[in-house]
Amino acid sequence: ILERSDVAIADHECPIMANDIWAPQLGADAIFSVPEAVLPFWRDTLGLDAVYLAANHLSDKGVDGISSTLRLLDEYGIPRTGLGMDLDEALEPAYVEVAGLTVAFVAFNDVPGVAEADANTPGVPWITEANIQDGVQRARDGGADLVICTPQWWGGAEYHDDLWPTQATQVEW
């Protein structure tokens, strides 16, 4: 399926750590990460074109994990959106050229537990009207013919198949 797709994207939910410092999660705490070793597979085997990072476990390894994730994705040439060393970086779209169009992806979060990016704080951009307007405008200003917004939604509880009132409002934005 991936080989036939025009665009392959992933919603990644935890920090990516350098191989030499990564260790599997063995305790009872829900602190997640994956090793750098996944990145050649993502790029060369899965052919991922972009990665969404606005998810609830991206700050599980603190600022070092956020920094590592950003640096490694950049080193492997995998476009990313939804995480940054500050809000400005977290709102930057990921761009993909497909079928003669520039497609931009932006990602936002409202699931508790992750660091919320602001002017001085690494983390993910929260789902707010201002952040959505800013992210979409950046994509348009960057030449996007199509902008796709992806939420990491909470809505008040996980794993429901309907839009809750808060989510309906967010869709309108």
Side-chain angles (χ1 to χ4, degrees):
I1 292 172
L2 284 171
E3 290 175 355
R4 296 188 315 243
S5 67
D6 291 328
V7 176
I9 58 175
D11 176 22
H12 184 65
E13 303 233 358
C14 65
I16 305 166
M17 306 302 291
N19 290 328
D20 60 340
I21 63 169
W22 180 81
Q25 172 62 37
L26 300 175
D29 294 333
I31 299 172
F32 304 116
S33 67
V34 296
E36 172 186 355
V38 302
L39 295 176
F41 177 75
W42 289 4
R43 184 191 61 205
D44 303 333
T45 303
L46 297 179
L48 291 183
D49 295 299
V51 178
Y52 298 128
L53 297 169
N56 57 307
H57 285 282
L58 260 300
S59 60
D60 277 11
K61 295 285 186 173
V63 174
D64 289 343
I66 292 171
S67 176
S68 175
T69 300
L70 299 171
R71 179 182 56 76
L72 289 168
L73 285 168
D74 290 348
E75 283 180 16
Y76 283 84
I78 300 173
R80 57 180 169 79
T81 187
L83 181 70
M85 293 306 292
D86 56 30
L87 181 59
D88 184 60
E89 183 178 15
L91 288 171
E92 278 300 307
Y95 296 93
V96 176
E97 297 295 323
V98 59
L101 299 174
T102 300
V103 179
F105 299 93
V106 290
F108 309 94
N109 175 73
D110 77 350
V111 180
V114 66
E116 179 179 351
D118 65 25
N120 301 305
T121 305
V124 302
W126 223 249
I127 299 176
T128 66
E129 187 171 5
N131 283 348
I132 292 170
Q133 295 297 331
D134 190 354
V136 170
Q137 190 61 54
R138 287 170 187 239
R140 289 181 177 146
D141 291 346
D145 298 299
L146 174 65
V147 181
I148 298 175
C149 298
T150 301
Q152 173 81 9
W153 262 334
W154 175 247
E158 289 187 281
Y159 312 118
H160 54 90
D161 61 359
D162 59 335
L163 286 179
W164 289 19
T166 299
Q167 293 168 318
T169 299
Q170 293 168 345
V171 168
E172 291 174 15
W173 298 336

